[in-house]
Amino acid sequence: MIRPDDEEKPFVGRWNSLIRILLVESSVKLVARAAMDYADLYDGTSCHPSNERLARETGYSERTVRTAWAVLRGMGLAVRVSNAVAHQRTADEYELVIPDNWKSLPILGPRGRKFTCLFCERLINPEGHNVLRTNGTVGFHVQSFVFCSPPRKTKGRLDAACFEAWNARRERAGEPLWDELGGDVWKMFRLSRGDDW
């Protein structure tokens, strides 16, 4: 596997490698992959496909494409170089970027292994997601990466979700709850991933 920071490899390979392991919405991943088709293969510059074209190619709406660009900008993966000019029929121009802090993004490990639930220790496949905040930054519900999904209510049985059970166990032990961990939730993310770069 090509490492995203391997400067000896062409940018296109490093970019596609990073996008493949990112734990974000599928629409963001597909727009990022499609955008690479319009960027310089060696440095990610001169990327200026229209949102309409990306919408046609990806099957998403233009609004979804705009949101995907906002997420890419919020994560530091895209920099808007110039804005679109409608009367000149030009699109926004972007530079695709592999940030220096790419290891701190929500990504799979180098071998792409399953994560381990921090409570029940079952192997899980974390689902990609992202939250675009009003200030343009991107957030993540990290607990959804590191705990099993809450069970469905079936046959009258109610099981506690692993996240809630983990918090209850920590509360009984007098340890900080999830919401009190602050930036340490990313340590829990890496612990659950168990496959570091």
Side-chain angles (χ1 to χ4, degrees):
M1 174 182 188
I2 297 175
R3 288 178 56 97
D5 58 359
D6 186 355
E7 296 286 334
E8 293 181 12
K9 302 293 184 188
F11 182 84
V12 62
R14 295 183 298 122
W15 174 262
N16 287 335
S17 179
L18 177 60
I19 297 305
R20 182 169 45 84
I21 61 175
L22 265 179
L23 292 170
V24 294
E25 300 282 341
S26 59
S27 59
V28 176
K29 292 177 91 146
L30 189 54
V31 168
R33 287 276 182 119
M36 187 63 234
D37 291 341
Y38 295 94
D40 185 287
L41 298 176
Y42 298 101
D43 62 7
T45 59
S46 302
C47 180
H48 42 82
S50 68
N51 291 338
E52 178 185 4
R53 173 165 287 203
L54 288 176
R56 229 179 6 257
E57 289 181 7
T58 61
Y60 291 114
S61 68
E62 284 187 57
R63 180 179 181 177
T64 301
V65 170
R66 284 192 301 274
T67 301
W69 275 120
V71 169
L72 292 170
R73 287 192 309 269
M75 293 177 70
L77 297 170
V79 176
R80 191 179 344 211
V81 176
S82 65
N83 291 323
V85 180
H87 71 276
Q88 292 179 355
R89 298 181 53 91
T90 61
D92 289 345
E93 181 178 349
Y94 287 94
E95 177 181 352
L96 305 179
V97 179
I98 296 174
D100 292 336
N101 68 337
W102 66 270
K103 289 182 188 177
S104 66
L105 297 173
I107 56 175
L108 297 172
R111 289 172 279 290
R113 294 183 176 153
K114 292 182 175 184
F115 285 32
T116 303
C117 175
L118 292 179
F119 180 74
C120 71
E121 298 183 357
R122 276 188 274 178
L123 295 178
I124 56 174
N125 280 320
E127 293 184 19
H129 73 279
N130 47 268
V131 178
L132 184 60
R133 298 183 184 120
T134 54
N135 65 0
T137 61
V138 178
F140 303 92
H141 298 291
V142 180
Q143 74 270 13
S144 66
F145 294 137
V146 300
F147 293 105
C148 296
S149 299
R152 294 186 181 138
K153 298 176 185 177
T154 58
K155 299 183 183 176
R157 192 183 82 204
L158 296 175
D159 291 335
C162 286
F163 174 67
E164 295 163 1
W166 184 86
N167 259 339
R169 182 171 64 190
R170 298 217 10 138
E171 186 174 32
R172 285 191 302 274
E175 297 173 335
L177 303 180
W178 185 265
D179 292 339
E180 298 166 351
L181 291 177
D184 287 343
V185 298
W186 290 103
K187 288 180 185 174
M188 301 302 234
F189 173 83
R190 289 187 292 279
L191 177 67
S192 175
R193 182 175 67 194
D195 186 19
D196 276 332
W197 286 89

